[in-house]
Structure formats: structure tokens, C-alpha cells
Amino acid sequence: MGQLRADEFDRFVAARWSVLLHLARLLTGGDRHRAEDLLQEALVKLWFAWPKVGEQAPEAYVRKVLARAAARSARRRWWGEHPVDQLPDPPEVGDETAAVDERTRLEAVLALLPARQRAAVVLRYYQDLPERHVAEVLGCPVGTARSLTARGVARLRQLLAEAVEPVE
């Protein structure tokens, strides 16, 4: 029984890892390291809840855990980083397409939104969840989720319009 549970869990993680990591990255404002930490935290919680949710909706469970953990972590003042004497080398700039540049620009502006607005926008438009599910994940009424999403989108439009560097 235990091995079957582990195999099912492993298959779920292998199949959904990249999608869940992308969601976590968007919820953390593009910080890949924080996103990986949040996803690990969510998957640990999923492991213990697997007997209950494994047959039903494990991805919805992980989404809810990620959104709540991202909101909690956004309120932290210190992440445990330590300053270093020398900065790492900047990444190599390769031949990027306009779509990738635009997505990167959008994700950077998305990171400027408050955590709950960012979570509402990401869940509604990146994850394509209905408003009712966004409200459930955020643990708020549907009207609040709708308001957070609308304010987030309006702020995104404003920030994108103010951007100095348009993508060619």
C-alpha cells in the first residue's frame, strides 16, 4: 500500500513539476529560488495529504498551498540571504524572440503588484481558474477575488504603459 502511494505521488510530481514551478515563480514575483522553496513546501504538505486528495484534486490542493504560502512569505522581512563580496557573472545574453522578451517584461511588472493582487491575477489569467476557484484558493469571498483581480490588471496596464523600454 505504501509503495503504491509513493508511486502515484512520484508520477504526479514528475508530470506536473514544471507547471507548478512556473506557477510558484509567478506567485513569488519571478524569484526562482523562492519559488522552488515554496513548491517544495507545498509538495511536502501534499505528501501528507495524499491519501485524502490524491484521488481527487491534488493540483488544486497544491495551488491553494502555493498561493497561501506565497502570500505569507511576501510578508516576511528577511529571507536568510547573506551578502557576498563578489557578485556572480551576469547571464549570457542570447538571441531572444520578441515573445520571450514581452513575457519577461510582463513577469517583471507582475512582480511589482502586491502579493494578493499578483496571486489573484496569476490564478485567474495564467492558471485560467474561474473567479469562484480563485476566491477559494485565496480564502476570500468571490467579490474580493474579483476586486483583487480587477485592481491587479488595472495596475499592470498602468505599469506597462509607463514602461520606458518597449519591446521591439
Side-chain angles (χ1 to χ4, degrees), residues 98-163:
V100 173
D101 288 341
E102 185 65 24
R103 185 174 63 227
T104 302
R105 182 173 158 239
L106 180 59
E107 288 177 2
V109 174
L110 188 63
L112 300 175
L113 293 179
R116 284 179 48 95
Q117 282 182 7
R118 181 172 56 241
V121 170
V122 167
L123 292 170
R124 181 70 177 103
Y125 295 107
Y126 277 82
Q127 291 288 298
D128 200 25
L129 293 180
E131 291 171 339
R132 181 174 46 88
H133 290 150
V134 172
E136 287 174 14
V137 170
L138 294 178
C140 64
V142 174
T144 302
R146 200 176 285 143
S147 175
L148 286 168
T149 304
R151 281 193 230 131
V153 169
R155 182 70 177 138
L156 278 176
R157 286 184 179 136
Q158 178 187 11
L159 290 169
L160 287 169
E162 292 172 358

Side-chain angles (χ1 to χ4, degrees), residues 2-167:
Q3 185 61 38
L4 180 61
R5 173 185 172 201
D7 290 343
E8 290 172 352
F9 180 81
D10 289 346
R11 279 194 299 276
F12 170 77
V13 171
R16 303 305 296 163
W17 174 264
S18 62
V19 171
L20 293 171
L21 181 60
H22 184 67
L23 170 62
R25 215 174 107 244
L26 291 171
L27 290 171
T28 59
D31 186 336
R32 183 175 177 87
H33 300 289
R34 275 183 49 211
E36 289 174 350
D37 290 344
L38 284 179
L39 183 54
Q40 285 294 338
E41 178 184 331
L43 291 175
V44 167
K45 290 181 180 185
L46 176 63
W47 170 256
F48 289 108
W50 189 258
K52 296 177 191 170
V53 299
E55 299 272 330
Q56 298 167 359
E59 190 162 349
Y61 180 86
V62 173
R63 264 198 306 262
K64 182 181 278 192
V65 171
L66 282 173
R68 289 180 178 176
R72 264 193 326 275
S73 70
R75 292 189 291 262
R76 287 188 195 150
R77 293 185 185 260
W78 185 66
W79 291 97
E81 291 99 1
H82 301 286
V84 294
D85 292 330
Q86 189 175 15
L87 292 174
D89 293 331
E92 294 290 325
V93 178
D95 184 28
E96 300 287 330
T97 65
V100 173
D101 288 341
E102 185 65 24
R103 185 174 63 227
T104 302
R105 182 173 158 239
L106 180 59
E107 288 177 2
V109 174
L110 188 63
L112 300 175
L113 293 179
R116 284 179 48 95
Q117 282 182 7
R118 181 172 56 241
V121 170
V122 167
L123 292 170
R124 181 70 177 103
Y125 295 107
Y126 277 82
Q127 291 288 298
D128 200 25
L129 293 180
E131 291 171 339
R132 181 174 46 88
H133 290 150
V134 172
E136 287 174 14
V137 170
L138 294 178
C140 64
V142 174
T144 302
R146 200 176 285 143
S147 175
L148 286 168
T149 304
R151 281 193 230 131
V153 169
R155 182 70 177 138
L156 278 176
R157 286 184 179 136
Q158 178 187 11
L159 290 169
L160 287 169
E162 292 172 358
V164 178
E165 240 184 313
V167 175

